[in-house]
């Protein structure tokens, strides 16, 4: 089965399996069941914070573009590898797939 591609309208949410804390503009995350750790830099931490409530890739891109003074398209392109990694590791899931 092939995964559905991510689009600007893909809505994402955090999963319940990961615990997180902020430390020096970074987020440290731990999977509650298997103890796996992930550390996010400042930009990754901002994405994680924006996903406190479900949001589309478009909405996240708009927020990042305003904060980092880049285009929304560039923001989305830059964040896709991180978003895919977080989905693959079960930290994020798609809403209404």
């Amino acid at each position: 089965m092939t995964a559905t591609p991510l689009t600007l309208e893909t809505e994402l949410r955090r999963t319940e399996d990961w615990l997180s804390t902020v430390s020096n503009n970074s987020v440290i995350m731990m999977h509650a069941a298997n103890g796996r750790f992930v550390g996010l830099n400042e930009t990754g931490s901002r994405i994680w914070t924006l996903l406190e409530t479900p949001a589309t890739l478009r909405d996240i891109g708009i927020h990042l573009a305003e904060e980092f003074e880049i285009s929304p398209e560039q923001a989305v392109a830059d964040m896709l590898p991180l978003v895919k990694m977080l989905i693959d590791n079960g930290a994020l899931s798609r809403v209404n797939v």
Side-chain angles (χ1 to χ4, degrees), residues 7-67:
T7 70
L8 291 175
E9 300 311 317
T10 301
E11 189 173 12
L12 300 170
R13 69 172 181 84
R14 294 181 184 182
T15 65
E16 303 285 325
D17 300 330
W18 288 79
L19 306 171
S20 63
T21 188
V22 176
S23 174
N24 297 326
N25 293 328
S26 298
V27 169
I28 308 299
M29 301 166 49
M30 183 186 85
H31 190 279
N34 66 23
R36 186 178 330 141
F37 282 87
V38 173
L40 302 177
N41 64 16
E42 183 179 354
T43 305
S45 297
R46 185 64 183 125
I47 293 166
W48 186 252
T49 299
L50 289 168
L51 285 166
E52 287 179 351
T53 58
T56 65
L57 287 175
R58 180 187 313 278
D59 291 339
I60 298 166
I62 290 169
H63 283 284
L64 294 176
E66 291 170 358
E67 292 177 35

